[in-house]
Amino acid sequence: MVTWEELEARCRQCQNCPLSETRTNVVFGVGNRQADILFIGEGPGEQEDLQGEPFVGPAGKLLDLMLSLIDLDRSKVYIANIVKCRPPQNRDPLPAESEACMPWLREQFRLLRPKIVVCLGRIAAQRMIRPDFSVTKEHGTFIEKNGILFMGTFHPAALLRQPQNKPEAFGDFVALRDKIGEVCVHTY
Ligand code: URA
């Protein structure tokens, strides 16, 4: 089986879709490679593209805050995106781009073997949980697939635009903390 180091090195060379032509950096993922919890966002924004790390811009600051509210940080979870290269003008990734990038996330999944997967926003939730998943209606519920618990919640960038949803998003993180207590032995 491929190692994390091999996978990351190969991913950094990827030219599977046209996003590779406009990227500054591949944003592979960050965090604890032994974590039980995987967060999946949509794709890198401007700051992530420049720094090569997921969620380091304004949305990332909010994600860090929400993690800290339930005593988590980047050393206890792993954070990745559906697409590893920034879509121009931060547009949604095209289905073909997400498809082209999925083999990297699949390998990350195989290596990490997460117990809980948190999908940040519609793009990740619809790709990972169900194509018609509604974040507004179904956020915070845990859905088991092949022994792994998936939960969709608001994307932190959406929360910056619609702060009225922050209490509900915080509720989802509290539910996450409780679920971690139930199914993860090493996180807290
Ligand atoms: N938004 C995302 O979905 N992912 C990032 O890494 C940054 C912002």
Side-chain angles (χ1 to χ4, degrees), residues 27 41-45 48 53-56 59 81 120 155 157:
V27 179
E42 175 179 324
E48 291 76 21
E53 190 173 317
F55 287 100
V56 288
N81 280 307
L120 298 168
H155 193 288

Side-chain angles (χ1 to χ4, degrees), residues 2-183:
V2 68
T3 65
W4 276 106
E5 289 70 26
E6 284 161 356
L7 186 68
E8 181 164 0
R10 280 185 6 218
C11 185
R12 292 199 177 284
Q13 305 294 320
C14 179
Q15 298 193 331
N16 288 352
C17 89
L19 294 182
S20 61
E21 291 161 24
T22 48
R23 74 178 175 229
T24 312
N25 285 295
V26 168
V27 179
F28 178 71
V30 75
N32 187 332
R33 291 174 171 184
Q34 261 105 45
D36 283 336
I37 306 131
L38 170 62
F39 283 79
I40 304 179
E42 175 179 324
E46 183 183 23
Q47 282 307 311
E48 291 76 21
D49 175 62
L50 291 172
Q51 298 181 43
E53 190 173 317
F55 287 100
V56 288
K61 300 279 169 287
L62 179 55
L63 177 60
D64 284 336
L65 173 68
M66 299 194 63
L67 289 174
S68 73
L69 292 172
I70 57 164
D71 297 316
L72 292 179
D73 59 37
R74 288 172 189 237
S75 71
K76 296 184 178 142
V77 302
Y78 194 82
I79 305 174
N81 280 307
I82 296 288
V83 293
K84 311 299 194 220
C85 298
R86 183 193 183 196
Q89 279 87 46
N90 297 346
R91 63 162 170 72
D92 288 353
L94 302 173
E97 293 161 352
S98 300
E99 209 45 58
C101 214
M102 277 311 281
W104 301 119
L105 188 57
R106 268 190 218 110
E107 287 298 323
Q108 287 175 308
F109 235 84
R110 239 173 249 151
L111 286 163
L112 194 65
R113 295 193 293 114
K115 292 195 166 74
I116 299 177
V117 177
V118 180
C119 300
L120 298 168
R122 176 180 58 86
I123 297 281
Q126 293 191 340
R127 169 68 51 173
M128 303 305 299
I129 302 174
R130 253 192 9 259
D132 64 349
F133 186 89
S134 163
V135 172
T136 315
K137 294 193 193 125
E138 299 176 83
H139 68 91
T141 54
F142 288 90
I143 297 155
E144 196 194 315
K145 284 172 56 168
N146 301 325
I148 301 171
L149 291 166
F150 290 78
M151 187 257 271
T153 188
F154 300 89
H155 193 288
L159 292 174
L160 291 175
R161 290 192 300 272
Q162 291 162 321
Q164 70 273 19
N165 287 330
K166 280 184 186 175
E168 286 188 71
F170 180 53
D172 295 348
F173 274 65
V174 172
L176 171 63
R177 185 192 59 193
D178 293 347
K179 192 58 82 178
I180 292 169
E182 277 174 41
V183 301

